[in-house]
Amino acid sequence: MKEIVAIQGIEGSYHHQTAQEYFDRDIQIIPCDSFDKVAQKLLNQEASMGIMAIENTIAGAILPNYNLIDKHQLYIVGEHYIDIQHQLMAIQGQHLEDLTEVHSHYMALLQCKDFFVQYPHIKLVEDSDTASTARRIKQGNLRGIGAIASVTAAHLFGLEILATNIQTMKNNATRFVILQKEKPLLYQKTINKASIKFQLDHKRGSLATVLNVISDCDLNMTKIQSLPVVHQPWKYAFFVDVTFDKYTNFQKVIQLLDIMAEDIKILGEYQNQLD
């Protein structure tokens, strides 16, 4: 039976590429025009798995997705990294000078904004997705409008690439997380990474104490992200990724955090792809 995977975007998008590479088998894709809809597909059991971009080496963390995972109690079961190479494309026969607007997902625009400093006549317009923008330009024969998307999207929709690899940093990697509605049965020997969330009292040294506990238990913190707690002014939740050699060390940290922190939650346990 095919795995049904909800992604943000359509065929030719970076989320689609991630699904193909991660699962490495025949899957059924459900395209969604927002990350909220990816979450809803999982909650409604229309998809068994979902994929969300979570951070990028240029643009940083995608903060709304942390909230989505936490709010809907989705569970991270894996991660995947891909090298993002953005191409500027348009209807065949056009040149950069012909463009008045370039449309794409806001993250792609952010990652390429330095390129457009030299083209002040081009207006950057946020769209729902990289690949769907390319498709719309082709289907509507929209002249004067460019898209930022992948080489795959350019070939798939028959657009001409006007400028290659226009992202600000040539080493432009995005981390995606693989999600399920509920925590699966886990084989602890294969787990060496986890994502957790906790809140702390707003007092001096509280975060430093937690970080010391993580270090003392031989865990390596690979990511920390703070977000304000809704309806609790000046209080913050911390989202932390840790790697470890022994699952028992991770369990020990969770036991200690149960005492030291508030609202401790395991968002996912999985294999570290970069190990």
Side-chain angles (χ1 to χ4, degrees):
M1 185 176 179
K2 287 184 180 181
E3 196 83 68
I4 302 176
V5 183
I7 64 169
Q8 190 273 323
I10 63 170
E11 184 180 2
S13 67
Y14 296 110
H15 280 79
H16 182 225
Q17 178 183 336
T18 298
Q20 290 181 312
E21 293 179 5
Y22 180 83
F23 290 101
D24 193 29
R25 61 179 183 269
D26 193 19
I27 56 176
Q28 179 182 338
I29 293 294
I30 298 181
C32 303
D33 59 13
S34 70
F35 290 117
D36 292 85
K37 290 185 180 178
V38 172
Q40 287 301 320
K41 294 296 182 184
L42 289 171
L43 295 173
N44 296 339
Q45 297 184 315
E46 297 175 57
S48 53
M49 309 287 280
I51 296 177
M52 285 187 190
I54 200 72
E55 60 180 312
N56 174 264
T57 52
I58 297 177
I62 305 176
L63 299 181
N65 287 357
Y66 281 93
N67 276 327
L68 275 176
I69 294 168
D70 181 31
K71 175 184 176 182
H72 296 299
Q73 300 187 53
L74 302 177
Y75 202 82
I76 302 172
V77 297
E79 64 178 1
H80 189 70
Y81 296 79
I82 63 172
D83 184 31
I84 304 292
Q85 300 295 321
H86 288 307
Q87 320 300 320
L88 177 59
M89 59 196 70
I91 293 293
Q92 296 280 345
Q94 294 191 104
H95 304 283
L96 253 169
E97 294 72 22
D98 300 323
L99 302 183
T100 59
E101 295 182 1
V102 168
H103 298 201
S104 195
H105 189 270
Y106 80 93
M107 287 294 289
L109 295 175
L110 184 61
Q111 293 163 21
C112 300
K113 67 177 183 178
D114 287 358
F115 173 83
F116 292 99
V117 171
Q118 58 190 316
Y119 301 102
H121 68 284
I122 295 178
K123 179 182 178 181
L124 302 181
V125 180
E126 291 186 11
D127 215 321
S128 61
D129 174 59
T130 56
S132 61
T133 300
R135 181 180 64 181
R136 180 171 53 81
I137 289 173
K138 177 62 177 180
Q139 290 177 340
N141 194 31
L142 303 179
R143 309 190 73 82
I145 298 179
I148 299 172
S150 66
V151 171
T152 300
H155 293 163
L156 190 63
F157 302 118
L159 297 179
E160 183 174 348
I161 294 177
L162 305 183
T164 61
N165 302 342
I166 64 171
Q167 66 278 358
T168 301
M169 294 172 58
K170 299 313 171 189
N171 182 17
N172 178 27
T174 294
R175 176 183 175 228
F176 297 80
V177 289
I178 317 303
L179 301 165
Q180 287 185 195
K181 180 183 178 182
E182 298 174 347
K183 178 179 178 179
L185 293 174
L186 299 170
Y187 183 55
Q188 293 181 359
K189 288 186 177 181
T190 67
I191 296 169
N192 58 2
K193 188 170 184 179
S195 298
I196 60 178
K197 173 215 169 185
F198 55 85
Q199 296 178 28
L200 295 172
D201 289 332
H202 191 60
K203 62 182 181 180
R204 185 176 61 190
S206 59
L207 178 59
T209 302
V210 168
L211 298 184
N212 285 334
V213 166
I214 290 174
S215 177
D216 291 343
C217 292
D218 294 327
L219 271 62
N220 178 40
M221 186 179 67
T222 61
K223 173 76 175 179
I224 183 168
Q225 182 71 52
S226 64
L227 288 177
V229 179
V230 179
H231 305 311
Q232 296 187 52
W234 312 118
K235 194 160 189 176
Y236 290 85
F238 294 91
F239 294 82
V240 173
D241 290 340
V242 292
T243 59
F244 42 85
D245 294 325
K246 296 180 180 179
Y247 186 77
T248 52
N249 288 345
F250 172 66
Q251 289 178 309
K252 184 177 180 180
V253 166
I254 294 301
Q255 290 170 356
L256 291 171
L257 286 181
D258 273 333
I259 301 170
M260 302 167 57
E262 303 172 26
D263 193 28
I264 174 72
K265 181 187 294 186
I266 299 175
L267 301 176
E269 299 165 303
Y270 47 96
Q271 284 185 295
N272 178 17
Q273 194 198 17
L274 298 182
D275 190 16

